[in-house]
Amino acid sequence: MMTNQNLINSHDQHVMATYGRFPIAISHGEGARLYDFDGKTYIDFASGIGVNSLGYGNKAWVQAITDQAMKFGHTSNLYYTQPAAKTAEILCKRTGYSKVFFANSGAESSEGLIKLARKYSRDKYGDCRSKIVTLEGSFHGRTITALAATGQDVFHQHFFPFTEGFCHVPVGNMSALKATADKNTCAVLIELIQGEGGVLPLDKAYVQEMAVFCQSNDLLLMIDEVQTGAGRTGSLFAFQQYGIKPDAVSFAKGIANGVPFGGFFVNEKCSTVLGPGTHATTYGGNPLGAAAANVVLDTLTDEMLAEVVKKGEYIQEKVRAMNSPYVAEVRGLGLMIGIVLQNIAHREIVGKLNDAGVLALVAGSATLRLLPPLTISYEEIDAGLAIMQAILEA
Ligand SMILES: *Cc1c(COP(=O)(O)O)cnc(C)c1O
């Protein structure tokens, strides 16, 4: 019989050790619960990393992928397919944006945004404007260029030379941004809530001032919504709660509930920048992923999004009410929640939570990060919080 340890042994024998994995081997899931090969149950407050927005065993999602697989699983982007056409239509209709490009992952979506900005500017102003400003503490992905965009020095190691043309400025400092975004700059790329950086929501007034500055200098304002998008924060995209109209917005993680899928959408101004031959990917808009994304998008009704807000507030309140020596601050939006810890290492808490039957994530240097499925029930939330309380109050 398969056990966690059997699977871990065979896996580690053949797979590169690029991840610091926990000794848990997932067998299957149901709702917001996961089961390992030793028969242990976990309340999943992680959803992969904010990917399994509909939880496990969602019937409409299984059916949509199955139906599409029976027809065809893939064709090239030389031809047209129905699922991708529908995904693009839903995204444009619900955001008011003009056009979508489909990719397969977050990093690839960041790459697309960067190419978009540089070509937009080059078409209009020539060679001079290639610099992109991003924020300290940001995370934009693991390709060489997405790492260069990422504003954390720990990611700027080993792989030299990194792509040129990125500058990082401190969060919340508008004058630093204005000083750095000079005549050689084409765009500003930010997350609205820094996810990997520690679940740090950006101040609304700061973001709005940035939007005005970008607009008046013809800098593209590009939002990386790989983690905040697809309903995670209680609106379809987080920018919709910030009162801004960015030029381009990326998405991935939660958009297809586990099928690799991503991309970005753009406004009218940017809609023809990437013409034939300038950008492409073999799998982008893949019909299985698009069929899965359409179920996620159809599920994220206004009522559902309102529930995400309520559940998020409920969790934040419950954690704040805990009598814990470790909780310094609780923050976030919707079901993207950061619990800033003190007096204990975040990884140690996650290990204890795992042992007790809760999966959770870390972020930044001291934050416990919760990204439960958006469909999580109050019964599942309470079960997970009870376990968390016992550990955080110990
Ligand atoms: C996870 C993440 C990425 C990278 O996504 P991958 O699918 O791992 O390439 C990029 N940006 C943000 C904000 C993310 O949270």
Coordinates of all heavy atoms in Angstrom, one line a residue, residues 49 104-110 138-143 146 191 193-196 224-228 250 252-253 261 336 369, ligand 1:
I49 N -1.1 27.3 -4.1 CA -0.8 28.6 -3.6 C -1.9 29.5 -4.3 O -1.6 30.2 -5.3 CB 0.6 29.0 -4.0 CG1 1.6 28.0 -3.3 CG2 0.9 30.5 -3.5 CD1 3.1 28.3 -3.7
N104 N 0.4 30.6 -19.8 CA 0.2 29.4 -19.0 C 0.5 29.5 -17.5 O 0.3 28.6 -16.8 CB 1.0 28.3 -19.6 CG 0.8 28.2 -21.1 OD1 -0.2 27.8 -21.6 ND2 1.8 28.7 -21.8
S105 N 1.2 30.6 -17.2 CA 1.7 30.7 -15.8 C 1.8 32.2 -15.4 O 1.7 33.0 -16.3 CB 3.0 30.0 -15.6 OG 4.0 30.8 -16.4
G106 N 2.1 32.4 -14.2 CA 2.3 33.8 -13.7 C 3.5 34.5 -14.3 O 3.4 35.6 -14.8
A107 N 4.6 33.8 -14.2 CA 5.9 34.3 -14.7 C 5.7 34.7 -16.2 O 6.2 35.8 -16.6 CB 7.0 33.4 -14.5
E108 N 5.1 33.8 -16.9 CA 4.9 34.0 -18.4 C 4.0 35.2 -18.6 O 4.2 36.0 -19.6 CB 4.3 32.8 -19.0 CG 4.8 32.4 -20.3 CD 3.9 31.3 -20.9 OE1 3.4 30.5 -20.1 OE2 3.8 31.3 -22.1
S109 N 3.1 35.4 -17.7 CA 2.2 36.6 -17.9 C 2.9 37.9 -17.6 O 2.7 38.9 -18.2 CB 1.0 36.4 -16.9 OG 0.3 35.2 -17.2
S110 N 3.8 37.8 -16.6 CA 4.7 39.0 -16.3 C 5.6 39.3 -17.5 O 5.7 40.5 -17.9 CB 5.6 38.7 -15.1 OG 4.8 38.5 -13.9
S138 N 8.2 43.2 -4.0 CA 7.3 42.6 -5.0 C 7.8 41.2 -5.4 O 8.9 40.8 -5.1 CB 7.2 43.5 -6.3 OG 8.5 43.6 -6.9
F139 N 6.9 40.5 -6.1 CA 7.2 39.2 -6.7 C 6.5 39.0 -8.0 O 5.3 39.2 -8.1 CB 6.9 38.0 -5.8 CG 7.3 36.7 -6.4 CD1 8.6 36.2 -6.3 CD2 6.3 35.9 -7.0 CE1 9.0 35.0 -6.8 CE2 6.7 34.7 -7.6 CZ 8.0 34.2 -7.5
H140 N 7.3 38.8 -9.1 CA 6.7 38.7 -10.4 C 7.0 37.4 -11.1 O 6.6 37.2 -12.3 CB 7.1 39.9 -11.2 CG 6.6 41.2 -10.6 ND1 5.2 41.5 -10.5 CD2 7.3 42.2 -10.0 CE1 5.1 42.7 -9.9 NE2 6.3 43.1 -9.6
G141 N 7.7 36.5 -10.5 CA 7.9 35.2 -11.1 C 9.3 34.8 -11.2 O 10.2 35.5 -10.8
R142 N 9.6 33.6 -11.8 CA 10.9 32.9 -11.6 C 11.7 32.9 -12.9 O 12.8 32.3 -13.0 CB 10.7 31.5 -11.1 CG 10.2 31.4 -9.7 CD 11.3 31.7 -8.7 NE 10.9 31.4 -7.4 CZ 11.8 31.2 -6.4 NH1 13.1 31.3 -6.6 NH2 11.4 31.0 -5.1
T143 N 11.2 33.4 -14.0 CA 12.0 33.4 -15.2 C 13.1 34.5 -15.0 O 12.9 35.4 -14.1 CB 11.2 33.8 -16.5 OG1 10.6 35.0 -16.3 CG2 10.2 32.7 -16.8
A146 N 11.4 38.0 -15.1 CA 10.5 38.2 -14.0 C 11.3 38.3 -12.7 O 10.9 39.1 -11.8 CB 9.5 37.1 -14.0
E191 N 2.1 44.8 -7.8 CA 1.0 44.0 -7.2 C 0.2 45.0 -6.3 O 0.8 45.8 -5.6 CB 1.5 42.9 -6.3 CG 2.3 41.9 -7.0 CD 3.2 41.2 -5.9 OE1 4.3 41.7 -5.6 OE2 2.8 40.2 -5.4
I193 N -1.8 43.9 -3.7 CA -1.4 43.3 -2.4 C -0.2 42.5 -2.7 O -0.3 41.5 -3.4 CB -2.6 42.4 -1.9 CG1 -3.8 43.2 -1.7 CG2 -2.2 41.9 -0.5 CD1 -5.0 42.4 -1.3
Q194 N 0.9 42.8 -2.1 CA 2.1 42.0 -2.3 C 1.9 40.7 -1.6 O 1.8 40.6 -0.4 CB 3.3 42.8 -1.8 CG 3.6 44.0 -2.6 CD 5.0 44.6 -2.3 OE1 5.5 44.5 -1.1 NE2 5.6 45.3 -3.2
G195 N 1.9 39.6 -2.5 CA 1.5 38.3 -1.9 C 2.7 37.6 -1.3 O 2.8 37.5 -0.1
E196 N 3.7 37.2 -2.1 CA 4.9 36.5 -1.6 C 5.6 37.4 -0.7 O 6.3 36.9 0.3 CB 5.8 36.1 -2.8 CG 5.2 35.2 -3.9 CD 4.6 34.0 -3.3 OE1 5.2 33.3 -2.5 OE2 3.4 33.6 -3.7
D224 N 0.1 43.3 -11.7 CA 0.3 41.8 -11.6 C -0.8 41.3 -10.6 O -0.7 41.4 -9.4 CB 1.7 41.5 -11.1 CG 2.0 40.0 -11.0 OD1 1.0 39.2 -10.9 OD2 3.1 39.6 -10.8
E225 N -1.8 40.7 -11.2 CA -2.9 40.1 -10.4 C -2.9 38.6 -10.5 O -3.9 37.9 -10.4 CB -4.3 40.7 -10.9 CG -4.5 42.2 -10.6 CD -5.7 42.5 -9.9 OE1 -6.2 41.7 -9.1 OE2 -6.3 43.6 -10.1
V226 N -1.7 38.1 -10.6 CA -1.6 36.6 -10.6 C -2.1 36.0 -9.3 O -2.8 35.0 -9.4 CB -0.1 36.2 -10.9 CG1 0.2 34.7 -10.6 CG2 0.3 36.6 -12.3
Q227 N -1.9 36.7 -8.2 CA -2.3 36.1 -6.9 C -3.7 36.8 -6.5 O -4.5 36.1 -5.9 CB -1.3 36.3 -5.8 CG -1.5 35.5 -4.6 CD -0.3 35.3 -3.7 OE1 -0.3 35.2 -2.5 NE2 0.9 35.2 -4.3
T228 N -3.8 38.1 -6.8 CA -5.0 38.8 -6.3 C -6.2 38.7 -7.2 O -7.3 39.0 -6.8 CB -4.7 40.3 -6.2 OG1 -4.1 40.8 -7.4 CG2 -3.7 40.6 -5.1
S250 N -2.4 41.3 -15.4 CA -2.2 39.9 -15.6 C -2.9 39.0 -14.6 O -3.4 39.5 -13.6 CB -0.7 39.6 -15.4 OG -0.3 39.9 -14.1
A252 N -3.3 34.5 -13.4 CA -2.9 33.1 -13.5 C -3.5 32.3 -12.3 O -4.7 32.3 -12.1 CB -1.4 32.9 -13.6
K253 N -2.6 31.8 -11.4 CA -3.0 31.1 -10.2 C -4.5 30.6 -10.2 O -4.8 29.5 -10.7 CB -2.7 31.9 -9.0 CG -1.1 31.9 -8.8 CD -0.8 32.2 -7.3 CE 0.7 32.0 -7.0 NZ 1.6 33.1 -7.3
F261 N -2.9 27.9 -16.4 CA -3.6 28.9 -17.3 C -3.2 30.3 -16.8 O -3.1 30.5 -15.6 CB -5.1 28.7 -17.3 CG -5.8 29.2 -18.5 CD1 -5.7 28.6 -19.7 CD2 -6.6 30.3 -18.4 CE1 -6.4 29.0 -20.8 CE2 -7.3 30.8 -19.5 CZ -7.2 30.2 -20.7
M336 N -7.6 36.6 0.9 CA -6.1 36.7 0.9 C -5.7 37.3 2.2 O -5.9 38.5 2.4 CB -5.7 37.5 -0.3 CG -4.2 37.7 -0.5 SD -3.9 38.4 -2.1 CE -2.1 38.5 -2.0
R369 N 0.3 33.0 5.8 CA -0.6 33.5 4.7 C -1.7 32.4 4.5 O -1.4 31.3 4.4 CB 0.2 33.7 3.4 CG -0.6 34.0 2.2 CD 0.3 34.3 1.0 NE 1.4 33.5 0.8 CZ 2.0 33.2 -0.3 NH1 1.6 33.8 -1.4 NH2 3.1 32.4 -0.4
Ligands
LIG1 C1 2.9 33.3 -8.1 C2 3.1 34.6 -8.6 C3 3.8 34.8 -9.9 C4 4.4 33.6 -10.6 O1 3.5 32.7 -11.0 P1 4.0 31.3 -11.6 O2 2.7 30.7 -12.1 O3 4.6 30.5 -10.5 O4 4.9 31.6 -12.7 C5 3.9 36.1 -10.4 N1 3.3 37.1 -9.8 C6 2.7 37.0 -8.6 C7 2.1 38.2 -8.0 C8 2.5 35.8 -8.0 O5 1.9 35.6 -6.8

